Amino acid sequence: YLALTDGCSEGMELNIAGSGPLHDFYEAEILKVFPRAQFHGWVSPEKYRDLIYSCDVLVHASNFEPYGIPPVEAFLLGKRVVASAGVFSALDLAEISNRVELFAPGDAIGLARCVAELVRSPKKIYRLEDKPEAVKVLAPHANISAIQKVLSG
């Protein structure tokens, strides 16, 4: 995630959670340009919750996810989301909100452009222009209620 201290890029923190076969490669490359980046590897649910609550921007760079819960959770917490268009939840979110920036799956340059734009214009991170009627479909209470109805039959 990205956290901008006092809305300025000089105070920016970069925390990266997760792991994978290219983790070491990306860690080395990112540390070359952002030596203060923190790599957490796979995180516990508690650490995940702490990271998502404290971020300003959630970057979800998976090339493909049938849905993808972190973008939805971050969005519901009022965070800006930068995600690959291969994460289908991000596609849904982008239809109802300007707080979601999409880039093509596997497009590292596109991801860099999205992040660079937010670092150059941090006020954009906090601008909210959601369509309230559309956001309601993501509210967890309505979805949980619908699932309970179906299961109770």
Side-chain angles (χ1 to χ4, degrees):
Y1 75 75
L2 296 174
L4 296 177
T5 306
D6 299 323
C8 70
S9 59
E10 292 81 30
M12 188 173 71
E13 294 177 21
L14 177 61
N15 286 276
I16 300 174
S19 59
L22 295 174
H23 178 273
D24 293 341
F25 169 78
Y26 285 118
E27 181 174 350
E29 292 301 305
I30 290 169
L31 287 172
K32 288 177 188 175
V33 294
F34 198 88
R36 296 187 329 252
Q38 295 180 28
F39 293 82
H40 301 276
W42 192 254
V43 295
S44 68
E46 296 78 22
K47 179 70 172 179
Y48 166 79
R49 190 174 45 250
D50 291 344
L51 289 170
I52 205 162
Y53 274 110
S54 63
C55 78
D56 295 306
V57 178
L58 173 82
V59 177
H60 199 75
S62 295
N63 287 330
F64 172 77
E65 284 195 38
Y67 199 69
I69 299 302
V72 175
E73 291 174 327
F75 180 84
L76 290 172
L77 290 170
K79 310 301 182 173
R80 171 117 356 219
V81 174
V82 174
S84 155
V87 178
F88 292 114
S89 60
L91 292 174
D92 290 345
L93 294 170
E95 290 211 13
I96 62 170
S97 176
N98 72 333
R99 286 188 290 131
V100 180
E101 310 286 334
L102 297 174
F103 60 93
D107 181 8
I109 301 298
L111 167 57
R113 283 184 184 130
C114 289
V115 172
E117 173 62 26
L118 293 174
V119 170
R120 277 193 302 271
S121 307
K123 288 184 175 158
K124 183 177 182 183
I125 294 170
Y126 309 104
R127 190 176 318 137
L128 302 178
E129 296 172 10
D130 297 336
K131 301 172 187 162
E133 67 282 355
V135 174
K136 288 179 189 173
V137 302
L138 294 171
H141 302 297
N143 291 319
I144 290 169
S145 178
I147 291 168
Q148 286 173 334
K149 256 188 195 174
V150 168
L151 292 177
S152 66

